[in-house]
Amino acid sequence: MVKSLLKELKDIFILVFWWMDFTRFYKMAEKFFAIWGIISTACEIESIVNSVTMVEDAVSKYFSVILIGSVIYAFISTKKNLNYTAIIKDTGIKISLSIGNLFWAKTNSFVISTNTTFDTKMDDEFISRNSVQGQFQLRYFRNNLQSLDKMLTEGLKEELPTYLNRNMSKCKQYPIGTVSKINYKKKHYYFSAIADVNEEGKTINTSIENVKKCLLGTWEFISQKGHVEELAIPVIGTGKAGIPNLSIEKAIMEMIYSIVDFSRTKKISDHFYIMIHPSDIRKNNINMDELNAFLQCMCNYRKEIIEEHGD
């Protein structure tokens, strides 16, 4: 419990540090001094043109108000957005790029990418503590992974597995895109298989196709057995899934494209939240304005773009 709390505090600290970094302080200072430069210039012009000192008197009288107002203006005009939203044309379906921990999303449904054997063990970092699945397990099933395994098995009872000869991990392997739905504390968690792993938990033969199959399998599952409600999704494929040459930006674009494409024919959510962890923003120097431009373009010109790609 304490470790989970410390992890939450760490994520909050990273988010605040990104939101109020040195670059923003510099821009705030520019805005602040620009205002006072204008006021100073106005006072000088007034003193040259005529003998009255209306501006100077007003500044002297309302100095505190102008000072506070300048700080507020500098703060607001340089703030970084934590949420970018677009509406898919002719559908009313929203897609948001939101910066934060997946579990901060105020939704009842979450997607969690996992391995094709649906292993949950955390020994020797088989499931990393820093992964979304690892965070979920530490948050809700720290000392009771057996219960989670039973829930996952129950969710897979209608799926046909391939049987592996293994001693160190589960032996039932499912196709990429297979989903096991976990209902826990009045919320829904869709565990979606994205990559094969060996007995040590290392990914095998991954590519961008893993992401596409994982997303499509998730949407198809939700359309048949899920709930039409707001859905939070982490950026998938860039962590332990080990997809080569897959940047955070490319993964997010692939997710946006997949959501928009699927929403042409079926509605599985009123609002998709693609949750981008603040540490990913910092480490990868992600340009959120460019991603937002892609999001807006896909949502406004979805038919033309998708048809051009031959889908």
Side-chain angles (χ1 to χ4, degrees):
M1 186 68 181
V2 175
K3 288 184 178 179
S4 296
L5 179 60
L6 290 175
K7 180 68 172 62
E8 291 279 337
L9 291 174
K10 180 182 176 183
D11 289 347
I12 292 172
F13 176 79
I14 292 172
L15 180 60
V16 171
F17 187 82
W18 170 80
W19 199 59
M20 288 294 295
D21 61 4
F22 177 78
T23 302
R24 185 180 174 194
F25 274 116
Y26 181 79
K27 290 180 179 179
M28 285 177 62
E30 282 187 329
K31 297 280 187 179
F32 177 83
F33 287 114
I35 293 172
W36 284 93
I38 293 171
I39 293 173
S40 177
T41 302
C43 289
E44 289 183 17
I45 293 173
E46 184 181 58
S47 66
I48 295 171
V49 173
N50 53 56
S51 58
V52 297
T53 56
M54 291 177 60
V55 175
E56 188 175 338
D57 291 343
V59 172
S60 179
K61 184 177 181 180
Y62 300 105
F63 178 80
S64 297
V65 175
I66 297 173
L67 180 64
I68 295 171
S70 301
V71 173
I72 293 174
Y73 169 75
F75 182 83
I76 293 175
S77 62
T78 60
K79 75 174 183 178
K80 297 178 179 179
N81 288 331
L82 299 179
N83 193 73
Y84 299 81
T85 300
I87 300 176
I88 302 176
K89 186 178 179 181
D90 301 326
T91 67
I93 298 171
K94 296 179 181 179
I95 303 176
S96 289
L97 302 178
S98 299
I99 301 170
N101 187 301
L102 175 72
F103 302 107
W104 293 350
K106 306 228 179 266
T107 66
N108 288 324
S109 292
F110 301 82
V111 173
I112 297 176
S113 59
T114 188
N115 50 80
T116 54
T117 48
F118 289 82
D119 271 287
T120 61
K121 73 173 188 174
M122 305 185 75
D123 300 339
D124 299 321
E125 287 289 292
F126 192 102
I127 299 297
S128 171
R129 291 173 173 268
N130 295 320
S131 67
V132 173
Q133 182 178 346
Q135 292 177 47
F136 172 83
Q137 292 180 182
L138 290 174
R139 181 184 291 256
Y140 300 120
F141 295 91
R142 176 183 294 273
N143 299 314
N144 193 18
L145 287 179
Q146 295 86 350
S147 292
L148 177 59
D149 284 327
K150 288 180 181 178
M151 293 180 185
L152 288 170
T153 300
E154 178 65 20
L156 295 167
K157 63 183 181 181
E158 296 180 9
E159 306 293 337
L160 294 176
T162 299
Y163 289 87
L164 306 173
N165 182 19
R166 291 183 176 178
N167 297 316
M168 304 297 292
S169 66
K170 293 181 181 179
C171 296
K172 292 181 180 179
Q173 185 180 63
Y174 299 85
I176 293 169
T178 301
V179 176
S180 179
K181 179 186 172 189
I182 302 296
N183 297 317
Y184 187 73
K185 292 189 174 181
K186 298 182 179 179
K187 294 188 177 183
H188 314 296
Y189 299 91
Y190 299 97
F191 276 69
S192 185
I194 189 173
D196 295 331
V197 293
N198 61 21
E199 249 181 310
E200 285 73 42
K202 306 301 181 184
T203 54
I204 304 170
N205 301 323
T206 55
S207 72
I208 187 65
E209 289 302 315
N210 290 58
V211 175
K212 295 178 180 180
K213 290 178 181 178
C214 176
L215 291 170
L216 182 57
T218 303
W219 311 150
E220 290 286 4
F221 180 91
I222 294 175
S223 71
Q224 298 170 24
K225 302 178 183 180
H227 308 265
V228 180
E229 57 188 1
E230 295 184 346
L231 181 67
I233 319 150
V235 180
I236 67 170
T238 59
K240 201 174 178 182
I243 310 295
N245 303 317
L246 182 65
S247 65
I248 296 283
E249 291 94 331
K250 188 173 180 180
I252 293 171
M253 289 178 180
E254 188 63 47
M255 292 171 70
I256 293 170
Y257 184 91
S258 181
I259 292 169
V260 172
D261 186 19
F262 194 84
S263 296
R264 288 189 299 167
T265 55
K266 296 178 182 179
K267 181 177 181 179
I268 60 172
S269 176
D270 297 312
H271 198 155
F272 294 85
Y273 290 90
I274 299 175
M275 301 299 297
I276 308 169
H277 198 278
S279 63
D280 289 330
I281 300 287
R282 283 190 58 208
K283 285 188 294 187
N284 299 279
N285 196 27
I286 296 174
N287 189 321
M288 290 302 299
D289 290 329
E290 289 184 1
L291 283 176
N292 180 49
F294 179 83
L295 172 66
Q296 302 296 330
C297 183
M298 278 299 304
C299 288
N300 287 316
Y301 303 101
R302 65 190 185 114
K303 182 177 179 181
E304 294 88 340
I305 294 172
I306 291 171
E307 287 180 351
E308 184 179 334
H309 282 74
D311 291 334

